[in-house]
Amino acid sequence: MRYHTPSTFEDAARLAAEASGITRFLAGGTDVLVQMRAGAVIPDDLIDLKKIPGVSEIAQTEEGGWRIGIAVPGARLGAHAGLCADWPGVVEGMELVGSTQVQGRATLTGNLCNGSPAADSVPGLVAAGATVEISGPSGLRSAPVEDIPAGPGKTTLQPGEVISAILLPPRGTAGGDAYQRFIPRTEMDIAVVGCAISLTLDGNSIASARVALGAVAPTVLLVPEAAAAITGTTLDDDALAALTTAVEAACTPISDKRGTAEFRTEVAGVLARRVAKIAYARAKGAEA
Amino acid sequence: MSKIHVTTTVNGDQVEFLADPRESLLDCLRDRLGLTGSKEGCGTGDCGACSVRLDGTLVCSCLVLGVEAEGKTVETIEGMANGNELHPLQRKFVEHAALQCGFCTPGILVAAKALLEQNDNPTETEIRYWLAGNLCRCTGYDKIVRAVMDAAAELRGEAA
Ligand SMILES: Cc1cc2nc3c(=O)[nH]c(=O)nc-3n(C[C@H](O)[C@H](O)[C@H](O)COP(=O)(O)OP(=O)(O)OC[C@H]3O[C@@H](n4cnc5c(N)ncnc54)[C@H](O)[C@@H]3O)c2cc1C
Ligand code: FES
Ligand code: FES
């Protein structure tokens, strides 16, 4: 295994483009090292991105959104007051990842690029309308987060492409988001179902919404039908019932030791109702 | 496989070692530097027996590569006592019998010290969540949590 420590994303992309064998980027390493240890993936080239200047920074963008460096670990997101105030749902998704020790290392970008359908931070990013900046052989491009996962363990990133930042849009006034997952215990487990919702209000009525589901399909899903079910409503009982129907219809889960397909589908509806209420309350000014 | 030369600071001392790039920091600490206090329970981030601080941040040393320690500071259990004088956490673990086989103890002590440095008066719930990534198979967690609370009280200058 060759270990590289490029000092620019251009160099990182070039190293990846030139590599012919198994290539991995190293952010927090909490997936990469586990896979190496298990013998599942032993990279020929491992490209450590943490020496690139700026990768550990969280910065406000000119438009009032946030630019999150690809090496910012979960614990740092949780400690950032401004980010927690704007996007509590994104932060709470990432904070569910692993233990205190894992939080010291694990990143949003690694969670996204590992490609797990149950990745806890991804529904929150999708609901928030986050985008990624991608450096590649032909320069920079950007893509919505929901376009990155391609199936379990797979992404749509092309050889030689590396994510160079995650961008959250401005929250604006009267907006709120939330994420919850179902696991059979309170800590340290993989989501059976996850759901994130971000919405904005016009008075008491929902002006816009984005609903994302985890662990109920081969990738994290954005469900526009579920968003449409609550848009224009005050999240009354009819709206919650329509949300449940739309969410359940979007689920195509597998049955495994964590839960049957029927169970996952039902829990997705339950979580969507709970998460919608929290996001609504936060948009009304409730503290996260 | 060519080895990489690593210079890092461990418990305040500058050290050097040669590491295979696939080797974990845990293996480097134990096998290259002879610091066998950090333990390997799982090697996959689940048990916390390998807990160390890397530039102050609590991490699993089994999930860090040795080569990543270049230019950083590492704190392990070996740096906790001051000579023969135990750290209050270590003393309270002995007093409360918060260990049996002791395999999990170095990791729990390193993790608990990191908690008390950022929160000198944690609740029982805060301690249990903070230590959720530190597994103990023999003692049971009650004595461990009580020892941490008692050490925190002593460090705050309260008689427990
Ligand atoms: C004990 C334990 C508990 C865990 N619990 C959870 C949990 O509850 N929920 C959950 O979702 N996950 C969990 N995980 C999995 C893991 O911690 C997360 O997926 C984490 O967010 C991965 O981030 P990382 O920075 O460590 O990624 P790394 O391991 O560094 O990288 C992961 C993948 O992303 C790619 N990658 C990294 N950076 C980039 C980049 N900039 N551009 C392109 N590709 C990139 C790498 O090539 C690799 O394939 C757990 C892991 C452990 C060890
Ligand atoms: S050995 Fe590192 S967490 Fe178990
Ligand atoms: S004392 Fe044996 S594992 Fe904790």
Side-chain angles (χ1 to χ4, degrees):
Chain A
M1 185 181 91
R2 286 169 295 269
Y3 172 72
H4 308 273
T5 52
S7 52
T8 64
F9 280 107
E10 293 73 49
D11 284 350
R14 191 179 39 73
L15 283 164
E18 285 167 3
S20 51
I22 299 172
T23 307
R24 287 290 180 275
F25 295 107
L26 183 64
T30 60
D31 283 315
V32 168
L33 266 75
V34 171
Q35 289 158 13
M36 275 169 62
R37 165 80 193 200
V41 182
I42 307 210
D44 299 302
D45 289 278
L46 183 64
I47 306 172
D48 189 346
L49 303 172
K50 292 190 294 297
K51 300 256 158 77
I52 300 175
V55 291
S56 300
E57 281 162 29
I58 302 173
Q60 188 123 40
T61 61
E62 273 172 31
E63 306 80 55
W66 295 95
R67 181 184 173 94
I68 303 173
I70 54 93
V72 173
R76 290 268 315 285
L77 294 180
H80 195 288
L83 193 64
C84 292
D86 276 2
W87 295 105
V90 172
V91 175
E92 72 196 350
M94 191 61 211
E95 284 191 304
L96 285 171
V97 171
S99 58
T100 317
Q101 287 85 338
V102 171
Q103 281 289 308
R105 298 269 292 170
T107 66
L108 287 170
T109 314
N111 198 223
L112 173 63
C113 295
N114 187 54
S116 166
D120 278 308
S121 75
V122 179
L125 290 171
V126 169
T131 55
V132 288
E133 179 190 276
I134 302 164
S135 300
S138 46
L140 285 182
R141 69 179 179 101
S142 95
V145 166
E146 59 269 27
D147 288 357
I148 300 302
K154 294 201 174 69
T155 70
T156 56
L157 295 174
Q158 298 302 306
E161 286 194 325
V162 54
I163 293 181
S164 38
I166 292 196
L167 292 142
L168 284 165
R171 174 70 279 188
T173 50
D177 72 330
Y179 173 77
Q180 283 197 349
R181 68 174 177 183
F182 174 80
I183 55 170
R185 55 204 298 252
T186 54
E187 269 282 274
M188 300 282 287
D189 206 349
I190 296 171
V192 179
V193 181
C195 177
I197 297 181
S198 174
L199 50 80
T200 61
L201 296 181
D202 180 4
N204 289 329
S205 151
I206 296 175
S208 67
R210 285 169 67 91
V211 179
L213 298 174
V216 293
T219 64
V220 169
L221 293 180
L222 177 66
V223 190
E225 300 77 17
I230 54 173
T231 305
T233 75
T234 57
L235 208 62
D236 52 26
D237 288 347
D238 288 346
L240 289 167
L243 172 67
T244 308
T245 307
V247 161
E248 288 182 355
C251 295
T252 54
I254 53 164
S255 292
D256 67 5
K257 63 182 177 189
R258 296 179 189 283
T260 61
E262 295 75 21
F263 178 75
R264 283 194 155 99
T265 304
E266 185 173 339
V267 170
V270 173
L271 285 185
R273 290 197 295 277
R274 288 184 192 165
V275 168
K277 286 182 195 166
I278 299 169
Y280 189 92
R282 286 178 180 167
K284 280 277 181 196
E287 287 275 325
Chain B
M1 182 81 48
S2 66
K3 293 213 163 94
I4 298 180
H5 181 259
V6 179
T7 307
T8 184
T9 303
V10 178
N11 301 324
D13 295 331
Q14 195 173 346
V15 298
E16 296 175 39
F17 55 87
L18 288 175
D20 180 308
R22 287 172 304 191
E23 251 176 321
S24 69
L25 175 60
L26 176 62
D27 285 342
C28 292
L29 289 169
R30 292 177 56 85
D31 301 341
R32 309 264 170 220
L33 298 173
L35 295 171
T36 54
S38 308
K39 305 298 181 199
E40 176 166 309
C42 64
T44 51
D46 294 291
C47 76
C50 63
S51 297
V52 303
R53 314 265 298 267
L54 184 66
D55 278 353
T57 304
L58 183 67
V59 299
C60 296
S61 60
C62 72
L63 294 188
V64 177
L65 293 174
V67 290
E68 289 184 77
E70 172 67 37
K72 298 199 177 290
T73 61
V74 182
E75 292 159 74
T76 72
I77 186 63
E78 283 87 352
M80 199 157 172
N82 185 5
N84 283 332
E85 190 193 327
L86 294 181
H87 185 277
L89 273 164
Q90 293 172 305
R91 201 159 20 75
K92 291 298 178 189
F93 267 58
V94 175
E95 283 173 23
H96 286 265
L99 66 154
Q100 286 186 19
C101 77
F103 198 81
C104 67
T105 312
I108 294 186
L109 287 168
V110 169
K113 182 161 176 272
L115 170 63
L116 298 189
E117 280 172 23
Q118 68 163 56
N119 178 357
D120 70 355
N121 194 6
T123 64
E124 181 182 334
T125 304
E126 285 170 337
I127 294 172
R128 286 184 188 274
Y129 270 101
W130 183 271
L131 294 179
N134 290 89
L135 306 184
C136 173
R137 324 206 301 175
C138 10
T139 307
Y141 298 99
D142 285 347
K143 289 178 176 178
I144 293 170
V145 172
R146 256 179 268 140
V148 175
M149 296 195 83
D150 198 6
E154 181 181 304
L155 285 162
R156 288 194 306 273
E158 293 166 18

